[in-house]
Amino acid sequence: MGRVTSRTPVLRIRGAARTTRPDVVAAEEPLEIRLSGSPLAVTMRTPGHDFDLVHGFLATEGVIAGSDDVLGLRYCDSVDADGRNTYNVVDVDLAPGVEPPDTALDRNFYTSSSCGVCGKASIDAIRTRTRHDVAADATRLPLETLLALPDRLRAAQRVFDKTGGLHAAGLFTADGELVTLREDVGRHNAVDKVIGDAVCAGRLPLAGHVLMVSGRASFELTQKAAMAGIPVLAAVSAPSSLAVELAADVGITLVGFLRGDGCNVYTREDRLTGV
């Protein structure tokens, strides 16, 4: 497996002081996802929990409904200059009867760590409809519990403590219990890893849960929450206009600027109690 972090020399400038020292940075490597040997997607990710990432990606793109739709997956022989396996290619066999996605040029899956939606031809091409009725989810979330989530997420970010350069996604119960946390250089990868863990455990849909992300709430992250049946998406930063539109459309409670003792609630505020 690739390394989660890497060490590199750095010139450290602090006021008048100049020192040269090793620094720890977050690893970023490509992961190619193949279906029965045919390339499907490439994403830049932090190595680790790769199979969760693949399961989550396939589920949130609507390719699979659960782990039963995957017959098997494995690392392929992808070697570096020294002949060592890079573990950067995963090949997936879908179960009989599961239709592979349309990989025509108007709907390709090539992504980057900064923006998973990049490369899609249009918004219409990625507005995949969820199998789950998120709007009907009767979850109630105390405001006090919601406000405590950023600190709980940050406290569990072990790799961030070393590098300061990773996004995090955490899945919480409505009581504030942390279920799963994943870190990655890409926001969408961290979310896919969290959802993929649930896919592998047979826990979809994730009714009654809160997805907390360390950055902004984009359209794509909102779509991933909807595809997993998550009723509440909270972010420490701002949502995009399309994220708000999609959240309203599918019935997700969308929370932004969740920090300190406050937040902005953009949609479905009825799920919050103690407001």
Side-chain angles (χ1 to χ4, degrees), residues 23 29 44 47 53 65 76 91 95 135 147 158 165 174 198 242 249 261:
D23 193 22
E29 296 182 10
M44 300 301 296
L53 171 57
C76 298
D91 197 10
L147 295 176
R158 292 179 296 177
L242 285 176
D249 185 50
D261 63 353

Side-chain angles (χ1 to χ4, degrees), residues 38-58:
S38 298
L40 174 69
V42 176
T43 185
M44 300 301 296
R45 97 302 188 192
T46 300
H49 303 287
D50 287 338
F51 287 1
D52 283 348
L53 171 57
V54 173
H55 276 93
F57 174 83
L58 294 176

Side-chain angles (χ1 to χ4, degrees), residues 57 61 106-111 116-123 125-126 220 223:
F57 174 83
E61 288 288 350
D106 63 344
R107 179 175 167 75
N108 69 74
F109 292 91
Y110 279 77
T111 62
V117 177
C118 296
K120 309 266 183 155
S122 68
I123 291 299
I126 59 175
E220 189 189 22
Q223 177 184 266

